[in-house]
Amino acid sequence: MIKNKSIYILGIESSCDDTSASVICNGKILSNVVATQEIHAKYGGVVPELASRAHQQNIVPVIQQAIQQANIDKKDLNAIAFTRGPGLMGSLLVGTSFAKSLSLALDIPLIAVNHMQGHVLAHFIEDESMQKPPFPFLCLTISGGHTQIVKITNYFTMEVLGETLDDAVGEAYDKSAKILGLPYPGGPLVDKYAKLGNAKAFKFTKPKVDGLNFSFSGLKTGILYFIQKKVKENPNFIEENLNDICASIQYTIVKILFDKLKKAVEETEINHIAIAGGVSANSEIRKVLKSYEASLGWTTYIPKFEFTTDNAGMIAIVGYLKYLENNFSNTSTTATARLKVNDN
Ligand code: KG4
Ligand code: ZN
């Protein structure tokens, strides 16, 4: 039956500032096109109104390109999966409305996908370079909007063990970068300069948060006051110490993340550990995680770079897994700005 058949799913992602479309066949990526909206860089962060407009401009060419690159005809598609939430309402509405119209036009089923589940389940994309984690496993989901430790018992059974009480870790990176005068999104730049610096050059206070929760807003304020003080003493302080500042910020952020992750492993006794989300592209996080295989006996699962930041491949794989379970939605499904990881 289904097993011998080729199932083609089109995934559509438009929750924030990336317009993306992907075609997968039986869980294997045939195309994964991402149009990143450059317009936000000059505003130092995502401007929701501009994001919706850019999605409107990008969505048709991005989907056309995804179908073309997959070398299929749109009539070959079996279903359309789209991001229902969480995200920016105006952005979500563009993808949601387009997905509904296309499913009606092609007369194929519609599948609503939770973006957070997409980040986690990207690990199940069929790809030779990736190993699939066995259940149960823990996932550290770290992005511009989220910081969570999630226990995954089954594809669609997820429990948040801890999460940020204020800023997400990606925001901590981006806001720190902004303080240093770096363009948005600053996370990758902090990562780049940190590689050249001394992580012990400056010390930043780590937050004291109970349990497995996180907090990053205090760190951001601490960095701001530190930089203001130093720049007053020496106006060239940032330029002269950029690598060391970035390395020290990165060291602090990584320590905060791994202290909690180690605690989660101790408490759950689960040592299959995955990372997901845009910040999981970070080189130091990948390095430290990998080192715990030898030192702590963890088995780690690091997604391919292109599946970490927002992309429609991760939406398409959730679509495929739901397709196999006949878990379809319909045109009355609405975009939802706030969704928990366990909301299906
Ligand atoms: O998952 P994502 O693409 O979008 C959200 O759902 O938020 O994550 C974007 C975030 C941004 O904050 C960006 O600065 C951060 O991921 N990021 C990084 C790196 N690459 C992307 N942060 C630190 N190091 C990186 N190499
Ligand atoms: Zn995301």
Side-chain angles (χ1 to χ4, degrees):
M1 296 158 5
I2 270 181
K3 273 205 163 148
N4 301 323
K5 223 176 112 186
S6 290
I7 306 295
Y8 294 97
I9 309 280
L10 171 71
I12 300 175
E13 156 63 30
S14 73
S15 65
C16 191
D17 60 340
D18 294 299
T19 318
S20 181
S22 166
V23 176
I24 64 170
C25 176
N26 295 353
K28 222 176 176 158
I29 299 278
L30 300 185
S31 62
N32 195 8
V33 179
V34 183
T36 301
Q37 303 174 0
E38 307 295 345
I39 185 145
H40 306 287
K42 64 177 176 203
Y43 298 97
V46 177
V47 183
E49 181 74 24
L50 297 179
S52 327
R53 278 194 227 175
H55 283 306
Q56 287 272 22
Q57 284 172 338
N58 294 341
I59 195 141
V60 173
V62 163
I63 289 175
Q64 268 174 344
Q65 221 178 314
I67 292 174
Q68 234 167 43
Q69 276 183 19
N71 213 6
I72 61 159
D73 188 276
K74 57 184 182 306
K75 292 197 185 81
D76 297 327
L77 291 169
N78 294 86
I80 297 172
F82 68 97
T83 304
R84 170 161 93 95
L88 301 170
M89 195 43 142
S91 292
L92 290 166
L93 284 172
V94 177
T96 306
S97 305
F98 195 94
K100 286 183 184 182
S101 315
L102 195 58
S103 90
L104 282 173
L106 298 174
D107 194 22
I108 53 175
L110 196 59
I111 303 171
V113 173
N114 178 329
H115 179 90
M116 300 308 295
Q117 293 185 356
H119 275 302
V120 174
L121 298 176
H123 284 277
F124 292 91
I125 290 172
E126 296 288 343
D127 192 291
E128 282 151 17
S129 70
M130 285 179 0
Q131 210 196 332
K132 296 189 187 92
F135 299 116
F137 69 95
L138 299 183
C139 186
L140 177 69
T141 307
I142 39 182
S143 73
H146 299 272
T147 306
Q148 298 183 329
I149 298 175
V150 185
K151 178 181 166 186
I152 298 97
T153 318
N154 220 317
Y155 291 132
F156 299 107
T157 312
M158 301 190 187
E159 182 192 350
V160 176
L161 303 180
E163 62 189 332
T164 184
L165 304 174
D166 40 58
D167 289 352
V169 63
E171 279 179 279
Y173 265 108
D174 296 339
K175 287 177 179 172
S176 304
K178 197 172 176 181
I179 294 168
L180 300 176
L182 300 173
Y184 176 86
L189 292 171
V190 173
D191 189 12
K192 180 176 144 196
Y193 296 123
K195 283 185 198 148
L196 309 169
N198 171 10
K200 301 282 170 67
F202 307 108
K203 203 168 166 12
F204 299 108
T205 314
K206 287 186 279 301
K208 290 188 178 61
V209 188
D210 286 342
L212 296 174
N213 288 330
F214 299 93
S215 167
F216 287 100
S217 70
L219 175 66
K220 171 195 66 195
T221 314
I223 293 168
L224 177 66
Y225 290 162
F226 168 81
I227 295 292
Q228 282 176 341
K229 182 169 162 275
K230 290 290 188 184
V231 167
K232 223 177 207 174
E233 291 162 14
N234 168 14
N236 297 325
F237 177 76
I238 297 178
E239 295 89 275
E240 288 169 10
N241 297 279
L242 187 61
N243 297 340
D244 286 350
I245 302 168
C246 288
S248 303
I249 292 173
Q250 177 139 294
Y251 173 83
T252 314
I253 292 177
V254 173
K255 178 104 177 66
I256 294 170
L257 291 174
F258 280 104
D259 281 354
K260 293 290 177 162
L261 194 55
K262 281 196 261 185
K263 196 170 154 67
V265 171
E266 273 164 31
E267 288 180 10
T268 59
E269 295 180 354
I270 296 170
N271 60 5
H272 288 278
I273 312 297
I275 50 172
V279 183
S280 70
N282 184 271
S283 63
E284 185 66 15
I285 293 173
R286 288 174 169 235
K287 199 167 88 190
V288 173
L289 186 68
K290 204 82 201 137
S291 76
Y292 287 166
E293 294 211 327
S295 61
L296 300 177
W298 295 5
T299 310
T300 65
Y301 304 86
I302 300 178
K304 210 171 170 179
F305 189 80
E306 66 194 83
F307 304 141
T308 58
T309 47
D310 288 351
N311 70 94
M314 69 186 201
I315 303 306
I317 188 67
V318 182
Y320 176 62
L321 295 170
K322 286 192 165 182
Y323 185 94
L324 295 180
E325 293 185 359
N326 287 321
N327 186 351
F328 301 115
S329 61
N330 54 51
T331 48
S332 64
T333 308
T334 54
T336 313
R338 288 180 182 276
L339 266 188
K340 299 245 181 258
V341 73
N342 48 2
D343 289 337
N344 282 307

